[in-house]
Amino acid sequence: MLKEIDVKKIREAAEENYRDGGMYCSEGIVSAFKETLLDDMPEELIAAASGFPIGVGRSKCMCGAISGGVMCIGYAFGRTTGGQRDKSEKTLELSQELHKKFLARNRVACCSILTHKFEMGSPEHKKQCVRFTGEVAEDLARIIAREKDLPIVGEESKD
């Protein structure tokens, strides 16, 4: 049973998943949460995240890091059958919170706008997307810690 959350470890795992070239943003976040926090998460959820990179299938719409974060929120708090309105409302609320945190830092969530200054795959592009992946992972870890009333290891929680 989960007793605490190490936000730094989760952020670093998500960033490394992207940085090492093995995964994109959405996959990196889902994989990091499986590795560090939600160990009961099926590996298939990482596979399900594979369609979200580069703004949903390279369409450059919503940032894939947000999509991966929302998948983790759904896994941790979402409903599995219709009619569970309380779970649905909570999942929507937390997903919106994650999205708003991203917007507060970056003004937009659209991949095409976020990356328009960079050639896709360039070191500058990759550096920016690693940062987005880490920021979303950290925000998500803080949300989960708060909602599950778990302490954050080694620091004061900042919401």
Side-chain angles (χ1 to χ4, degrees):
M1 179 166 187
L2 192 59
K3 295 182 180 158
E4 60 190 21
I5 294 182
D6 187 334
V7 172
K8 183 178 178 186
K9 180 179 178 182
I10 292 168
R11 180 179 180 141
E12 288 173 352
E15 289 175 344
E16 187 57 31
N17 286 342
Y18 191 103
R19 186 182 297 110
D20 78 3
M23 295 185 167
Y24 288 113
C25 46
S26 55
E27 300 161 321
I29 286 174
V30 174
S31 180
F33 276 82
K34 177 175 178 28
E35 295 164 18
T36 62
L37 186 63
L38 302 171
D39 59 351
D40 63 335
M41 177 189 289
E43 282 191 353
E44 290 80 8
L45 200 54
I46 300 168
S50 294
F52 292 100
I54 316 168
V56 182
R58 293 191 184 115
S59 67
K60 291 189 145 189
C61 290
M62 185 172 66
C63 174
I66 299 168
S67 298
V70 170
M71 289 181 72
C72 290
I73 287 172
Y75 181 76
F77 302 102
R79 63 184 175 176
T80 55
T81 61
Q84 296 174 308
R85 187 163 177 80
D86 57 333
K87 284 188 172 190
S88 176
E89 288 301 317
K90 180 55 120 183
T91 303
L92 292 171
E93 174 188 313
L94 298 176
S95 297
Q96 183 180 55
E97 178 183 350
L98 185 68
H99 186 252
K100 284 182 175 182
K101 286 178 181 289
F102 188 92
L103 291 176
R105 269 191 307 274
N106 302 294
R107 294 191 343 250
V108 296
C110 177
C111 182
S112 65
I113 296 170
L114 292 165
T115 61
H116 78 279
K117 295 179 184 176
F118 307 114
E119 180 181 330
M120 292 303 283
S122 70
E124 297 83 12
H125 165 253
K126 192 169 186 176
K127 181 179 178 182
Q128 176 180 264
C129 291
V130 165
R131 179 176 56 85
F132 293 156
T133 300
E135 289 172 351
V136 170
E138 182 173 337
D139 289 341
L140 178 57
R142 292 180 185 287
I143 289 169
I144 291 172
R146 183 192 68 222
E147 293 300 314
K148 296 200 177 271
D149 198 27
L150 296 168
I152 294 175
V153 177
E155 66 179 14
E156 294 289 321
S157 178
K158 63 175 186 183
D159 282 311

